[in-house]
Amino acid sequence: MNSLFAAAAMLWLLAAVLAATRHLSRVSGLALVLGCIAAAIGALGSLPTGSTAALLPGGLFGERLTFRVSPDAAWLFGFGCCAAAVVCAVSTPVRPAFHGWTFGAASALIGAMGVFGIEDGVGFLIAWEIMGFGGAIMLLSERLSTAYGQSTLFMLALLEVGSVALIFVVIALGIHADTLNFSMHPGDGLSAAATVALGVLLIVGFGAKLGLLPFFEWFPNAYGTGSGATGALLSGVVLNAAFFGLGRGLLDWLPAVTDGAQTAMGMIAVIIGVASAVLTILYAFQEDDWRPLLSFSSAENASIAVAMLGATLLFRGDGKQDLAGLAWCVALLHLAGHSFAKSGLFLAADTIYRATGSYLISHSALLLRTPVFFGVGALFSAMSLAAMPPQAGFVSEWFVFQTLFQGFHLESLGGRLVMALAGAGLALTAAVALATLVKVFGIGLLGRNGHATDRVPTGLPWSVGLLGLAVLVFAAGLPFYLDILSTGSVAHFGVDIPRSMIQGLLLVPLTAKFAFISPTLLTVVMPLLALLPVALVTIAHRRGVRRSAVWYGGLRHDPIRVSTTALTFSNAMRTFYSFIYRPIASTERETTGAHYFVRKLTFTHDVAPIFGPLLFGPATHAVSSLARRFRSLQSGSLNFYLALIGFLLVLILAIALV
Amino acid sequence: MSGNLPTRLDVDYGRCVVCQLCTEACPEGAMEPSNDWAFGARRRTDLKWSEKGADPAPAAQTSGFHRSLHIRHVDAGSCNGCESELQALNNPLYNLHRLGIFFTASPRAADLLLVTGPVTQAMREPLLATYEAMPDPRWVMAVGTCAVSGGVSGGCTAAHGLEGILPVDVWLPGCPPNPSAIIHALMMFLERAQQQVRGGHLE
């Protein structure tokens, strides 16, 4: 399978070179897609064992770089690349940005492959930076927002904060293990305090990309700068890579047995994960643009996976390897299904953009002009993100709660309490996520009062349908192939958990005595529920139901004016949770001079970010203040510069003499 | 009566605006002022005085409706006298809510359409639209002499009340009917009170 990974890397490199030189657009696009297909086949084909270790040409700091895709990496990378192949096939909807976008996508994918496979600390950091760089290039090439520079800069600034944290971790572990090859538990022997400190740094480092608090605040504006295709790649394969990095760091890099440190790290991860999930989904619900909403949703789903990672640590800290393995599998399940569903909705957003010229969640009447396959695909994707059966999101979130319910097995009161509260927090998250996806699908796609004017390219709707179908197939097929994670489970926890999660066509949380579901059977049975509305329609038809026109409060029929908008849908929550949102609304009236005759009315509304004014604002202010103080060094006075040079020369001379 | 005048006098409480002129004009003392107010009736004919008394045919019932009653009120050209009385229903004295009867803002949630005013030409269409917007089962109550027969404002607006426009279930004349009369009519509709006027005779 390593040859397929090599082929993928070469194809992506070819795509990047052709895109950079602005030649052979079709070939570069094709190379990008073929690279994704090769990587997907390579990754999924390497399961259940993962790929064999391969030495990369060259080395860093005197050590050869080893490339090996472990089972969990293969799972996340493989499914991420499946979705990425579809996304790359339709590419960016901003045609002038095609070359830049292709270059960025190729860079991000190459970087992601490095993150998944390179076992060397420094090599991993380089791959991490390339991945981030690729994402920024995609956003900057599309420039779908006027504030694209500021948004991307803010994203890069926060990602660099994370990178600095990761550099600290790599240096500390490298010094401790006396090697930069982190394939064999480099953190063994670390003290509990050092383990927790490095664990927190890992959460900061990867959390910047995953959208854990407070870093999720770069998501809406940065995603709002790019297209849905960019969002799909960032929320698919890139997000998976970041999660894999965090999982590898916490489970493999840090010591497996440390008194209390695992439990402490687990609690921290669960608390941060759940708090991030609640906050991000609350903010997602208030967005009226497809991309920021879906970006917040990505952060929410990543946070749920991080909470599961925390549960893994908590259970492992208690010596309950089977439950730890369950939580680990659930996290992987969740993100794999999320890749398909989120890519599907991001491409649905691109379809809206191509049809209406805007990403706003408003009535587009698009379902009337697109193939049924598009609506079904978007519906399946939305159902999955809303955790509705029988889709992938339902299966994974069902497992999330089943895992949290097992928290009563924990010995420490703190652990049990954290797991119980996590269950409550994630229940709120699931409820708001359902409302959020109802808003997206109900208003953005089912809304019929708008007018989609532009022609939609045929490829986009079909790609959405394909991804939606993939969500369903992924869920329905789980009883048949979930055991491909067995080897990974045994390697991490010494027990084969995935096989214990399957009983025939049922999926169970280790035992069928507690609970069970079957997405396969649900897929077969649930269409029968369609008989209910059919029966209702038939009965209504026979009984001669009187139909009256829609009531507009006694006013003239005006479906457009009275239709539910993104704001009216979410305004109740905005009012109820105003202590979090701190909503802002302003109305400006432009008159002809006479007060009564309003010529133009401008209404603006927004919700205030949490960490912007509390954390990022003061940090920006501090940097600006520091810059102002240092500005005197750039006084423009030649004599002052000469004095500085002279001072430096004297200093160098003094050092040399000493 | 003699000459060209009709030989018999018709008395229709559905057209009475309580001006008391009849009591002043009556030479025989047959027409006298009274304090009667419970004139709610299920049939329009029960408001017309008849020597034979009540019509033996059974009146339409609202059997089966024993839930809280939600009313949508439409002012179909009223002088607002009736509205003034309706307004009083929700004050602490009459406190209509205690009886499980509520006014609702939308016909979608209403059981009973309460109409005041003679149904002017301008209000005819909105009234019909409101009735159309109500879910089944639905009922109609004409409140005030204007809604029953057109009243004093009927002539100039060419409007003669609800007759022939909507199927009325309860007729309540009065100019205006006082809050107690409205409550009695509503309770009668809910079969929690007896109708008191039959064939123009008060029982």
Side-chain angles (χ1 to χ4, degrees), chain A residues 483-556:
Chain A
D483 56 357
I484 56 177
L485 283 172
S486 293
T487 311
S489 169
V490 172
H492 277 103
F493 309 101
V495 279
D496 184 355
I497 296 303
R499 280 190 207 285
S500 309
M501 293 166 71
I502 303 169
Q503 285 194 5
L505 291 177
L506 299 182
L507 293 177
V508 298
L510 304 184
T511 166
K513 291 176 185 170
F514 199 65
F516 61 86
I517 55 164
S518 176
T520 317
L521 294 177
L522 281 172
T523 305
V524 176
V525 171
M526 282 188 71
L528 295 177
L529 292 175
L531 292 176
L532 284 176
V534 169
L536 286 173
V537 168
T538 309
I539 291 167
H541 192 67
R542 286 188 179 176
R543 288 175 68 93
V545 173
R546 178 172 61 88
R547 295 180 189 280
S548 63
V550 175
W551 180 250
Y552 289 93
L555 301 175
R556 200 156 37 88

Side-chain angles (χ1 to χ4, degrees), chain A residues 116-459:
Chain A
F116 278 116
I118 293 176
E119 297 190 321
D120 178 89
V122 175
F124 156 77
L125 283 175
I126 292 169
W128 179 257
E129 287 299 319
I130 291 172
M131 188 171 75
F133 168 74
I137 293 290
M138 281 192 283
L139 293 173
L140 285 172
S141 64
E142 288 174 325
R143 301 180 184 182
L144 286 171
S145 152
T146 49
Y148 65 90
Q150 197 175 11
S151 305
T152 314
L153 204 60
F154 185 51
M155 174 190 87
L156 287 173
L158 292 191
L159 289 183
E160 285 315 305
V161 170
S163 296
V164 170
L166 293 180
I167 289 168
F168 271 118
V169 174
V170 168
I171 291 172
L173 289 176
I175 292 170
H176 176 73
D178 201 24
T179 176
L180 286 170
N181 188 335
F182 290 170
S183 59
M184 295 297 289
H185 300 286
D188 281 353
L190 277 173
S191 67
T195 303
V196 172
L198 290 182
V200 170
L201 285 175
L202 282 169
I203 289 177
V204 170
F206 292 107
K209 186 80 90 185
L210 289 167
L212 299 181
L213 61 88
F215 297 107
F216 60 75
E217 290 199 353
W218 68 259
F219 272 53
N221 289 338
Y223 274 71
T225 297
S227 66
T230 304
L233 283 186
L234 291 179
S235 292
V237 71
V238 170
L239 196 79
N240 287 2
F243 178 77
F244 167 73
L246 179 60
R248 181 169 64 173
L250 292 177
L251 293 173
D252 297 342
W253 289 1
L254 297 185
V257 182
T258 310
D259 292 341
Q262 291 239 3
T263 305
M265 273 314 306
M267 287 169 73
I268 291 169
V270 170
I271 290 167
I272 289 179
V274 172
S276 303
V278 171
L279 287 175
T280 47
I281 198 61
L282 281 175
Y283 275 94
F285 187 61
Q286 295 300 330
E287 288 294 338
D288 50 11
D289 184 305
W290 277 79
R291 297 159 300 166
L293 184 146
L294 294 176
S295 75
F296 271 131
S297 166
S298 297
E300 176 240 345
N301 284 287
S303 302
I304 291 173
V306 170
M308 280 298 96
L309 200 58
T312 307
L313 291 170
L314 272 172
F315 286 127
R316 196 169 76 163
D318 256 23
K320 296 179 173 52
Q321 299 292 351
D322 49 349
L323 292 176
L326 174 66
W328 178 79
C329 285
V330 171
L332 296 181
L333 265 181
H334 191 69
L335 284 184
H338 172 256
S339 302
F340 289 119
K342 192 51 65 65
S343 299
L345 281 192
F346 265 122
L347 292 191
D350 273 355
T351 314
I352 296 269
Y353 175 68
R354 291 299 294 266
T356 65
S358 165
Y359 278 104
L360 286 178
I361 299 170
S362 58
H363 292 228
S364 64
L366 192 62
L367 289 187
L368 298 173
R369 296 183 48 218
T370 46
V372 176
F373 203 46
F374 169 76
V376 170
L379 177 66
F380 283 2
S381 301
M383 282 172 73
S384 181
L385 293 174
M388 290 176 70
Q391 307 298 348
F394 165 72
V395 177
S396 60
E397 290 209 22
W398 180 82
F399 267 125
V400 164
F401 286 104
Q402 294 302 328
T403 310
L404 292 173
F405 295 155
Q406 305 286 350
F408 67 86
H409 287 297
L410 290 170
E411 286 170 14
S412 70
L413 176 64
R416 291 199 297 272
L417 202 59
V418 164
M419 293 288 267
L421 290 174
L426 292 185
L428 172 65
T429 305
V432 182
L434 174 65
T436 305
L437 271 300
V438 167
K439 171 180 167 174
V440 168
F441 193 82
I443 297 173
L445 290 174
L446 286 179
R448 301 173 55 158
N449 295 324
H451 300 286
T453 50
D454 297 342
R455 195 178 65 83
V456 181
T458 50

Side-chain angles (χ1 to χ4, degrees), chain B residues 37-42 89 94 96 98-99 101 141 170-172 178-197 202-203:
Chain B
W37 45 262
F39 279 96
R42 290 187 181 282
L89 291 175
Y94 293 102
L96 193 66
R98 76 200 146 98
L99 300 169
I101 303 173
M141 179 170 164
V170 179
W171 305 87
L172 176 63
N178 65 42
S180 296
I182 300 171
I183 289 177
H184 172 262
L186 289 169
M187 298 300 279
M188 191 190 80
F189 168 76
L190 292 171
E191 297 175 4
R192 288 155 69 182
Q194 295 294 320
Q195 181 174 324
Q196 293 190 15
V197 59
L202 274 164
E203 296 172 354

